[in-house]
Amino acid sequence: MPRSIPPRSAPPSNGGQPPQAIPPGRPVRASAGPVRPTPVRSAPRPAAGGNGRGGGYPQQGALASGGRGGRGGSNIRIRKGRVAGVIAVLVLLAVLAWPIGLLIWANGKIQHVEALSGADNTPGTTYLLAGSDARGSGGIDDSTSGARTDTIMVLHKPRSGPVALISIPRDTFAEMPDGSGSNKINAAYSYGGAPMLVQAVERLSGLTVDHYVEVGFGGVSGVVDAVGGVRLCYPDDVHDVKSKLKWEKGCHVADGKTALAFSRMRYSDPKGDIGRAERQQQVIAQIGKKVADPGVLLNPASQVGLADAGLAAVVTDTDTGIIDIAMLGLAFRSANGDDGVTGTPPIATINYRTPSGASAVLLDENQTGEFWAKVRDGEYAAGEKIGGVPGS
């Protein structure tokens, strides 16, 4: 029972009558006398009853179901939720860590070279792709020594309009940027490496190169094998000694070695360098299709195999990394799709004789300027095949 509060003494008042005792259990009203501070309780006193200590404690069942002594069901449920949350976070981290780690690893495999000219930017984004036949790149050895560029492609993504992929024939007669006069454009690479090739292409096209990407031919072969081969088509039988291509007319699934020879063959092609450029675009387009296959794209083993096979033979300018190469891949795929534009610059003849008597490809100077301006501004219709030999 609550304790009774004894009567409080106070100075006589009202004629000296003593104050009345405060009944037990009644609250004490403030008086004129000194006020004692009331202690602050951390929690209200439990209701009376149960154990004779002024309030009832939780019964044994309450303790078992979640009181302090039992650590029961509600806490177990909370712990299970926390464990599930931790597992979810760990899974998310693992999912994010794999592609990030793959990007870092892949980026470290890229070799870099000083290549860009520093010229004023032109609208859009321009990539220069060079297929290098440098010794040791895995290319097919023949009687030619030194480094060459059998493949020269300009991939341009305009501010608006379709992405364009333009193959520049390696024998295109063009002005050399070192002031030595005109020569086959791939001679620029032989004489001055990537920087001179970039400048020669910029002078020819009027476009400033934003990204330079050079691929050794061995990389093409390795990537084709990594995706399990690609389906290629050619309408004639071929037995070309120099490229070592043996081909039965029609469409076949080619392995890396065959795809490489397919992309390099030109002496057995009636269209020569122009036909080779078309087949190179076909090879790269088919690689793009296989890489985009979810079975390849989402397979970690395939991802590592592709990166290892392709990037080991890749050289870029110093500012281009793996993200830029990924963007190039997307633009390349777009150019080879229904919404893209492909072709070569307008050609006057493929049998031009240079002053030194060499055979070269001569561009049509009356159309070339307008051609590159329309590529730059995205003015060609999507799906259009542009340039090429007159009447083709």
Side-chain angles (χ1 to χ4, degrees):
M1 296 292 292
R3 290 179 297 170
S4 298
I5 301 175
R8 189 189 306 173
S9 297
S13 63
N14 299 327
Q17 295 295 326
Q20 294 180 347
I22 301 173
R26 303 265 314 264
V28 180
R29 296 181 180 274
S31 66
V35 179
R36 285 189 246 173
T38 303
V40 179
R41 298 180 183 275
S42 59
R45 181 184 295 275
N51 60 5
R53 303 185 63 132
Y57 279 82
Q59 297 180 357
Q60 185 174 358
L63 285 172
S65 64
R68 182 178 180 85
R71 299 286 183 183
S74 62
N75 276 347
I76 291 176
R77 285 195 295 273
I78 292 173
R79 284 190 171 188
K80 286 181 178 178
R82 288 177 179 172
V83 170
V86 170
I87 292 174
V89 170
L90 291 176
V91 170
L92 178 61
L93 289 176
V95 170
L96 294 176
W98 169 252
I100 292 172
L102 183 64
L103 285 176
I104 294 173
W105 171 78
N107 203 59
K109 293 183 71 66
I110 302 173
Q111 304 173 64
H112 297 281
V113 65
E114 293 288 346
L116 303 185
S117 66
D120 292 339
N121 289 332
T122 49
T125 303
T126 303
Y127 302 86
L128 174 58
L129 291 80
S132 171
D133 198 25
R135 302 304 96 184
S137 69
I140 297 175
D141 270 329
D142 53 27
S143 58
T144 305
S145 61
R148 301 169 298 163
T149 49
D150 274 3
T151 305
I152 303 172
M153 296 182 182
V154 172
L155 179 64
H156 181 71
K157 183 178 181 181
R159 289 177 177 172
S160 63
V163 180
L165 177 63
I166 309 301
S167 292
I168 300 176
R170 71 163 202 170
D171 289 342
T172 298
F173 198 60
E175 186 178 353
M176 295 291 103
D178 61 354
S180 60
S182 296
N183 205 332
K184 295 180 182 182
I185 196 167
N186 72 335
Y189 186 89
S190 297
Y191 296 155
M196 191 167 173
L197 178 63
V198 167
Q199 293 175 47
V201 170
E202 289 180 338
R203 186 171 297 221
L204 177 72
S205 67
L207 299 171
T208 298
V209 173
D210 300 299
H211 300 282
Y212 172 81
V213 179
E214 178 184 324
V215 181
F217 280 118
V220 174
S221 177
V223 168
V224 170
D225 285 336
V227 298
V230 292
R231 187 173 184 271
L232 303 174
C233 300
Y234 189 70
D236 300 317
D237 292 333
V238 176
H239 187 185
D240 188 72
V241 176
K242 290 201 172 184
S243 67
K244 298 182 174 63
L245 176 65
K246 294 181 180 179
W247 188 267
E248 291 184 8
K249 65 180 180 180
C251 299
H252 309 283
V253 175
D255 62 8
K257 182 178 179 180
T258 303
L260 176 57
F262 184 90
S263 66
R264 296 196 63 213
M265 185 269 292
R266 66 170 177 149
Y267 290 103
S268 298
D269 191 328
K271 293 192 289 186
D273 214 19
I274 308 304
R276 174 166 61 180
E278 293 172 353
R279 280 179 280 103
Q280 289 169 348
Q281 290 186 3
Q282 183 185 163
V283 170
I284 298 176
Q286 291 303 311
I287 290 174
K289 286 183 179 180
K290 288 297 290 287
V291 170
D293 186 327
V296 175
L297 186 63
L298 302 179
N299 186 325
S302 296
Q303 292 171 359
V304 173
L306 279 169
D308 196 37
L311 295 179
V314 168
V315 178
T316 73
D317 64 87
T318 54
D319 295 330
T320 294
I322 191 65
I323 300 299
D324 299 301
I325 292 177
M327 297 301 292
L328 180 154
L330 292 175
F332 203 107
R333 184 180 177 190
S334 177
N336 280 283
D338 294 335
D339 297 329
V341 171
T342 58
T344 68
I347 295 170
T349 178
I350 60 174
N351 295 313
Y352 176 72
R353 288 293 168 181
T354 69
S356 63
S359 177
V361 173
L362 184 66
L363 301 184
D364 188 337
E365 61 180 12
N366 296 321
Q367 300 183 49
T368 301
E370 181 183 5
F371 170 87
W372 287 112
K374 292 178 72 172
V375 168
R376 178 196 65 204
D377 298 332
E379 294 181 358
Y380 282 107
E384 188 174 355
K385 302 291 183 182
I386 58 178
V389 180
S392 62

